[in-house]
Amino acid sequence: MEAGFVFGGFKLKQHKRIQLPFKGNPTIDDINNYLDLFLFNDGVLELEQNEEEGNIPFRLTLYAENQKYLVMFGKSNPEVDDGVEVRTFWDGTSASGLISLQGDLWDNRTISENFSLVRKAFNEFYQTGDIDQNIVS
């Protein structure tokens, strides 16, 4: 992958926000080490491509709370209202309904408890600049 990345976020511990050190041009090891923090911590992690001409996929965000994970993949798309198409995990076999995560309500079918799927999404985005639509739709 030729595009550079920026990477950062925060974790929550005993209701206190702990800022994670910002990393410019992280390595795959940096990404996986930060991801490890969210196995048992709540918080937000974001991996974003540097602005480079031709970058269409540009941001991957993880929201974690109580070992429940929401991954949002932002992709530039001038055909949608705000210019950003957002893809998430989607589990059509899960029960419909809303779940609270990081203070917002989300469709339960967009939440995963499978951390290996979260890791796969981040690694694939870092390595290829995109994510297989079988992972996020």
Side-chain angles (χ1 to χ4, degrees):
M1 180 77 221
E2 294 298 318
F5 286 90
V6 292
F7 188 57
F10 65 89
K11 65 180 185 171
L12 299 171
K13 189 163 188 141
Q14 298 175 339
H15 306 289
K16 291 183 182 174
R17 180 180 165 139
I18 300 168
Q19 190 68 40
L20 299 172
F22 173 82
K23 294 204 181 256
N25 297 317
T27 66
I28 194 74
D29 289 335
D30 292 331
I31 291 167
N32 283 303
N33 289 336
Y34 269 32
L35 283 169
D36 288 343
L37 297 173
F38 292 91
L39 277 166
F40 302 107
N41 287 292
D42 300 345
V44 176
L45 189 62
E46 187 166 273
L47 178 62
E48 186 169 330
Q49 285 192 29
N50 292 330
E51 290 185 35
E52 294 183 16
E53 193 170 326
N55 274 355
I56 294 182
F58 66 91
R59 182 183 306 128
L60 189 61
T61 306
L62 166 66
Y63 298 92
E65 187 174 327
N66 296 323
Q67 288 85 47
K68 295 187 184 331
Y69 309 102
L70 171 67
V71 171
M72 299 178 75
F73 177 66
K75 182 175 182 176
S76 297
N77 183 346
E79 297 179 13
V80 297
D81 288 337
D82 63 359
V84 178
E85 172 186 337
V86 177
R87 295 175 2 210
T88 64
F89 295 150
W90 185 261
D91 182 356
T93 64
S94 290
S96 62
L98 297 176
I99 186 169
S100 178
L101 193 73
Q102 295 291 324
D104 289 316
L105 292 176
W106 302 94
D107 188 313
N108 186 56
R109 295 168 291 189
T110 64
I111 307 299
S112 178
E113 294 179 8
N114 180 350
F115 197 76
S116 63
L117 191 60
V118 172
R119 188 177 305 279
K120 183 175 181 178
F122 270 82
N123 282 279
E124 187 168 323
F125 179 54
Y126 178 79
Q127 293 171 336
T128 70
D130 205 347
I131 299 178
D132 185 334
Q133 289 202 12
N134 292 320
I135 298 174
V136 292
S137 55

